[in-house]
Amino acid sequence: MKLLIAEDDLSVCEMLRLFLQQEQIKAFFVHDGLEAERLIMEQAWDLILLDWMLPGKDGLTLCHDIRLRNNNVPVILLTAKDQEHDRILGLNTGADDYVIKPIQSS
C-alpha cells in the first residue's frame, strides 16, 4: 500500500508513524501542500491523508484538484476544523472521509 500523508504538525506525524509501523504500513510524509501536490501528480497512491490547513497549498484545495483530475484515490481530510459546515464542505469537495484532530487512540 502506498500511503501519502500531508500533515504539517510533526507530533501528529510521529503518532501516525508509530501507529502505522505497528500495523506494518509504510507511509510517506510531507509537510506542505505544494510538495504533496507534486507527489500526487508524479505517483499513484492507494490512500491520501490531507491536513486542511497546510502551508503552501491547503488540503481542501488539493482534494478539489485531485477530483478535477478524475483521480479516484481515496482522500481523507485530517483536520482541526470541527464545525459541521466544515465537514460538509470537505465532503462536498470530494473527500471520502473527514477525521477531526486530535485523534484519540482506543
Side-chain angles (χ1 to χ4, degrees):
M1 169 182 257
K2 283 184 70 176
L3 173 59
L4 176 64
I5 300 174
E7 170 61 61
D8 63 333
D9 185 328
L10 298 180
S11 64
V12 171
C13 290
E14 184 58 25
M15 187 259 323
L16 288 170
R17 184 182 325 275
L18 291 172
F19 172 78
L20 293 169
Q21 281 177 346
Q22 287 179 342
E23 299 299 318
Q24 299 180 342
I25 298 171
K26 292 188 180 186
F28 190 83
F29 289 83
V30 296
H31 307 294
D32 73 68
L34 295 174
E35 180 69 7
E37 180 177 48
R38 183 184 68 77
L39 290 171
I40 291 166
M41 293 182 72
E42 290 177 356
Q43 300 178 40
W45 298 94
D46 296 312
L47 176 63
I48 300 172
L49 271 62
L50 295 174
D51 181 8
W52 184 324
M53 295 180 281
L54 289 167
K57 189 169 192 176
D58 67 86
L60 190 67
T61 302
L62 281 171
C63 182
H64 178 259
D65 292 349
I66 290 167
R67 295 305 179 228
L68 281 179
R69 292 184 193 102
N70 290 321
N71 190 332
N72 292 324
V73 62
V75 175
I76 298 173
L77 285 174
L78 180 62
T79 180
K81 291 183 164 279
D82 62 355
Q83 299 297 308
E84 184 176 351
H85 64 272
D86 293 325
R87 181 184 298 260
I88 292 168
L89 179 59
L91 294 171
N92 284 341
T93 301
D96 295 286
D97 206 350
Y98 191 97
V99 177
I100 298 170
K101 295 186 277 187
I103 302 167
Q104 301 293 322
S105 63
S106 51

